[in-house]
Amino acid sequence: MTQILISPAKYIQGSGELNRLGEHCAGLTDGEVFAVIDAFVLANYGEKIVRSFAQSGIPLRVHEFTGEVTMARIEWLAAMPELRKSGVVLGIGGGKTLDAAKALSHLAGLPAVIVPTVASTDAPCSALSVLYMEDGRLDRYLALRRSPDMVVVDTAVIAKAPPRLLAAGMGDALSTYYEARACHRSGAVTNAGGTGSLAALALAAACRDTLLADGAAALDAVRQGEVTPAVERIVEANIYLSGVGFESGGLAAAHAIHNGMTVLEECRPMLHGEKVAFATLAQLMLEQAPEEEIDGAVRFCRSVGLPVTLKALGLEDADESKLLRAAEAACAAGGPMANMPFTVSPRDVVDALLAADRRGSLVSESGC
Ligand SMILES: [Zn+2]
């Protein structure tokens, strides 16, 4: 049994870190920095970023990124002559921009510095890029040869992003402990390529404890655009604890059920973490988890506005045949459902979804 844990070489988080990006990158290269920056971020924070590199005396090449992350586009970027003078690829923005920067660093064989400007998923710390086709369909999960060399998070920037994104990140992070625990029980091989370690399980447990303690307060603060200690802790939970926790602790039923939900048209407007939150409740039902644990998870979701019913996911009129279609996709061969410590059938998934819906409805109706 080989245990493997992977993580970014350095994780930096604080208010105003965008102003210190040049400083942070100084030790990584004698050459230029090639930056892939989200168009919205460039418009709002471009001046700050450029100034920070100028102060550190590091030449910066900026490539504005919009649209889809396709392999053709990454190969086109990798062939740019400017990249040959660069010693680092820097990605600043949301999921797609960061996936583009990570994939580019992989192709170019350069270190990656990743700067998430939202905390809506736990992807930034991972050694994985999700690539799409030109028409938006999923192309492939590109496994990178290593984790990002540095992840820098400016909490002041994250606090200005829409609160719904932070809540969705909490939904993605909520699943981490329960999935890591399931993998620990089954001895499953994680995304890191080995079985989970005590370290990964401990990070996942800290992630859950932080969410339950600080989630609601952090969301309130972000609604005011404020960075409080609760916001700092939730950003670390969403991005670092959940990121290392999922990758080295393992995925299981919650992400399998999320993947299944993506086949239903009704769920399309929902964010990744919103679907994962409800799928986590379904995993707890599958596991027949202790009542106290289920109650805590349902109440947490409710307190931060994450869906606790099928209706909230857009599945109000879903008949069982529709749920069965999603459940069959959730149990697809090669997916994370196989990491559960017991066999799960599509019928079990439908029953778990319905049980989670009934449990969530109780809390919703009681209003507490
Ligand atoms: Zn996720």
Side-chain angles (χ1 to χ4, degrees):
M1 184 176 70
T2 305
Q3 291 175 211
I4 301 183
L5 182 136
I6 59 175
S7 78
K10 195 169 193 177
Y11 178 80
I12 298 172
Q13 177 185 308
S15 181
E17 295 307 324
L18 219 48
N19 300 317
R20 295 184 276 276
L21 261 188
E23 236 174 273
H24 294 320
C25 290
L28 289 173
T29 176
D30 296 328
E32 298 181 355
V33 168
F34 188 93
V36 180
I37 308 181
D38 176 277
F40 174 83
V41 173
L42 194 58
N44 288 276
Y45 300 102
E47 215 172 290
K48 254 187 197 184
I49 296 164
V50 168
R51 198 185 317 127
S52 164
F53 280 90
Q55 281 166 351
S56 297
I58 302 174
L60 181 72
R61 297 259 174 194
V62 173
H63 176 83
E64 182 178 311
F65 193 86
T66 47
E68 208 47 91
V69 200
T70 63
M71 189 44 121
R73 188 143 178 225
I74 304 301
E75 283 170 346
W76 176 78
L77 278 171
M80 284 175 86
E82 292 92 323
L83 201 64
R84 280 186 218 122
K85 296 186 203 142
S86 304
V88 168
V89 173
L90 168 68
I92 312 178
K96 286 190 192 292
T97 307
L98 301 186
D99 277 337
K102 282 201 262 183
L104 177 60
S105 79
H106 175 75
L107 251 58
L110 292 172
V113 175
I114 294 300
V115 184
T117 53
V118 293
S120 59
T121 73
D122 56 17
C125 288
S126 72
L128 192 75
S129 272
V130 188
L131 303 183
Y132 293 86
M133 318 281 264
E134 207 54 69
D135 61 7
R137 278 180 302 137
L138 180 71
D139 173 13
R140 70 189 97 168
Y141 293 98
L142 181 68
L144 312 179
R145 77 175 70 78
R146 61 184 197 201
S147 310
D149 294 76
M150 197 187 283
V151 173
V152 183
V153 184
D154 188 332
T155 46
V157 173
I158 303 260
K160 288 201 182 68
R164 184 184 170 193
L165 297 179
L166 188 79
M170 291 194 248
D172 199 21
L174 179 67
S175 70
T176 305
Y177 172 68
Y178 304 111
E179 292 186 286
R181 183 178 68 182
C183 290
H184 206 71
R185 286 173 177 162
S186 67
V189 170
T190 73
N191 289 27
T195 57
S197 54
L198 289 175
L201 192 63
L203 291 181
C207 180
R208 179 201 54 181
D209 294 347
T210 306
L211 294 174
L212 298 186
D214 293 311
L219 193 62
D220 278 346
V222 164
R223 286 192 181 116
Q224 316 296 323
E226 286 172 11
V227 180
T228 61
V231 172
E232 298 272 6
R233 290 193 286 268
I234 287 300
V235 169
E236 184 185 345
N238 284 11
I239 295 176
Y240 187 81
L241 296 175
S242 183
V244 179
F246 104 76
E247 193 169 39
S248 294
L251 297 175
H255 272 76
I257 294 171
H258 160 273
N259 296 347
M261 283 177 185
T262 59
V263 305
L264 301 179
E265 197 65 45
E266 293 88 336
C267 294
R268 297 266 153 88
M270 305 306 292
L271 300 172
H272 172 82
E274 292 170 336
K275 285 175 281 188
V276 171
F278 187 75
T280 301
L281 304 182
Q283 176 176 326
L284 292 175
M285 294 299 170
L286 275 176
E287 292 176 315
Q288 299 184 322
E291 169 55 28
E292 195 187 347
E293 195 167 65
I294 295 171
D295 193 56
V298 175
R299 284 178 194 279
F300 165 75
C301 289
R302 179 103 167 105
S303 72
V304 294
L306 287 166
V308 295
T309 59
L310 289 168
K311 182 180 170 189
L313 281 170
L315 289 168
E316 189 172 10
D317 306 316
D319 51 33
E320 282 201 26
S321 68
K322 209 168 245 184
L323 293 182
L324 192 59
R325 201 151 63 79
E328 278 162 357
C331 297
M337 191 63 91
N339 292 347
M340 291 297 283
F342 47 85
T343 308
V344 179
S345 71
R347 185 66 238 174
D348 296 333
V349 173
V350 171
D351 290 344
L353 286 168
L354 293 171
D357 178 57
R358 277 194 300 276
R359 194 65 182 71
S361 303
L362 282 179
V363 175
S364 286
E365 279 160 19
S366 69
C368 60

